[in-house]
């Protein structure tokens, strides 16, 4: 009689955990988070907690990949010898003054909204003055979002700065063509006149 791994549940569970742990380790190396659907790998079925964990990992991957991945790639390029160390300053600021001002404005808006939450005006969250204060800063935040959406989406991505990224022109072109139906319908007249072409950053 031929025996299979399913005949040894303890061994099978151990192998499933080893495989899932290996997936988490490899995934952390390239994405910064654990692997997706490891609950299925470990138990053979999907769970609500596993789905929530995958959702959190997906959001974290998006944030890391767009805003924190450049330094990770720079360290890999430096470690593997893809970049030859020079006396120049490879980490010079590459953002335009407008982009830096927009990022600073976002931080100010978030700080003011947090201040309004923890220290509401007249000690009332729903008082007229506090609602007006929050509404004004939300309006500024929306305005900044519109400007970033029209002109700076690709510029604010955290690109590697030691070695030229071969996919950068294609990513910029894709970002410029992404459509958000409700927002773009409102921004369409101004977005077409200010949105840069892919060659600008090539």
């Amino acid at each position: 009689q031929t025996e299979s791994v399913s005949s040894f549940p303890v061994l099978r569970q151990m192998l499933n955990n080893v495989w899932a742990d290996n997936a988490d380790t490899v995934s952390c190396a390239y994405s910064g988070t654990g692997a997706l659907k490891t609950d299925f790998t470990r138990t053979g079925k999907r769970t609500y907690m596993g789905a929530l964990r995958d959702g959190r990992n997906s959001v974290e991957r998006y944030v890391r990949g767009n805003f924190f991945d450049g330094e990770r790639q720079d360290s890999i390029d430096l470690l593997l010898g893809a970049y030859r160390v020079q006396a120049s300053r490879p980490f010079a600021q590459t953002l335009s003054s407008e982009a830096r001002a927009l990022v600073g404005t976002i931080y100010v808006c978030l700080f003011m909204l947090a201040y309004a939450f923890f220290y509401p005006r007249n000690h009332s969250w729903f008082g007229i003055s506090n609602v007006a204060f929050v509404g004004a800063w939300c309006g500024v935040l929306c305005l900044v979002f519109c400007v970033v959406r029209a002109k700076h989406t690709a510029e604010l991505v955290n690109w590697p700065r030691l070695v030229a990224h071969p996919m950068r022109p294609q990513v910029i072109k894709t970002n410029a063509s992404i459509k958000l139906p409700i927002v773009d319908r409102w921004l369409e007249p101004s977005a077409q006149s200010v949105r840069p072409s892919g060659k600008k950053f090539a």
Side-chain angles (χ1 to χ4, degrees):
Q1 182 178 0
T2 303
E3 295 181 330
S4 63
V5 176
S6 59
S7 302
F8 304 92
V10 176
L11 176 62
R12 180 175 181 176
Q13 184 63 41
M14 182 190 69
L15 293 176
N16 287 346
N17 288 332
V18 168
W19 185 259
D21 291 341
N22 176 71
D24 285 335
T25 302
V26 173
S27 178
C28 284
Y30 72 84
S31 69
T33 71
L36 304 180
K37 298 184 179 180
T38 51
D39 58 325
F40 181 81
T41 305
R42 296 180 190 278
T43 65
K45 60 182 180 180
R46 291 288 282 162
T47 63
Y48 289 111
M49 290 302 299
L52 290 174
R53 190 180 302 111
D54 287 350
R56 184 200 65 186
N57 285 344
S58 297
V59 172
E60 186 175 351
R61 286 183 179 194
Y62 178 84
V63 173
R64 285 177 178 270
N66 282 282
F67 304 111
F68 299 100
D69 196 59
E71 288 78 9
R72 175 191 293 268
Q73 186 61 46
D74 285 333
S75 65
I76 294 175
D77 291 334
L78 189 62
L79 180 66
L80 297 181
Y83 174 76
R84 175 174 290 183
V85 179
Q86 301 173 356
S88 61
R89 297 178 57 192
F91 294 107
Q93 180 60 254
T94 58
L95 291 181
S96 64
S97 298
E98 182 178 349
R100 293 199 299 271
L102 290 171
V103 172
T105 304
I106 291 174
Y107 284 125
V108 171
C109 290
L110 295 178
F111 173 80
M112 298 306 292
L113 291 174
Y115 182 84
F117 178 80
F118 290 106
Y119 303 99
R121 300 171 69 86
N122 298 329
H123 306 287
S124 175
W125 284 342
F126 302 105
I128 295 178
S129 60
N130 197 62
V131 171
F133 182 82
V134 171
W137 283 107
C138 286
V140 174
L141 193 60
C142 290
L143 180 61
V144 171
F145 170 79
C146 292
V147 176
V148 170
R149 168 78 183 125
K151 299 176 61 177
H152 299 283
T153 51
E155 186 181 3
L156 292 177
V157 171
N158 187 235
W159 295 97
R161 286 178 282 183
L162 292 182
V163 179
H165 197 288
M167 296 298 293
R168 184 167 182 169
Q170 290 84 344
V171 171
I172 291 175
K173 183 177 180 181
T174 301
N175 282 4
S177 64
I178 292 175
K179 297 297 183 182
L180 300 178
I182 297 177
V183 176
D184 286 339
R185 191 177 302 133
W186 179 46
L187 293 176
E188 194 66 29
S190 59
Q192 291 181 349
S193 61
V194 298
R195 184 171 293 161
S197 62
K199 295 182 179 180
K200 182 177 180 181
F201 296 95

